[in-house]
Amino acid sequence: MLHADHGTARLQFDIAQPSRRTGPQDQLVTLETTPCRFGGVRWWWVCPATGRRCATLYLPNGGQLFLSRGRGAYRLGYASQSQDAMGRSHGRLRRLHRRLGGAYTHADDVLPRRPKWMRWRTYERTWAEWEAAMERHEAIWMKGAERMLGR
């Protein structure tokens, strides 16, 4: 049931998760709105566990209700939070390559040429970001190598 500035949504589901079956579930979730800067409204879920607004509700494996990912709910982490420094460094380099339309396989990849649609100023800024990321990547690699060699 939706009104102009609030509402509720009924979520009815029965999921056979790898760990166990949820069984038939019937969950009522509150919706709220906030005004947008240039008119209109934005709809938000209200987490049943925390009472806070959120853009997405999650049902992880083993969960029985749709809740937010934050504190007081499921406490789901982002993938980068479980990566080591080297993994985050590769992710940063991968993002920069993708921004320029190239594929990333390893740190020795050469940065792709400037795409036709990209301004030179943007390409030069991205190139500078890539050089800084490569320096950080090499420093992380050296630190790991020193740790492995016991120096």
Side-chain angles (χ1 to χ4, degrees), residues 9-11 18 28 38 49-50 55-56 58 61-62 71 79 92-93 108 118 122 127 140 142 144 147 151:
R10 169 169 265 132
L11 306 176
L28 268 176
F38 296 109
T50 64
T56 308
Y58 299 88
N61 187 20
R71 213 160 126 196
R92 189 176 301 115
L93 291 169
D108 294 333
M118 185 178 280
T122 304
W127 181 270
I140 291 166
M142 287 300 292
R147 194 172 31 242
R151 293 184 182 175

Side-chain angles (χ1 to χ4, degrees), residues 93-94 96-106 109-112:
L93 291 169
R94 188 176 300 110
L96 291 169
H97 273 261
R98 196 176 319 127
R99 192 181 302 168
L100 296 174
Y104 178 83
T105 54
H106 51 79
D109 287 347
V110 178
L111 200 62

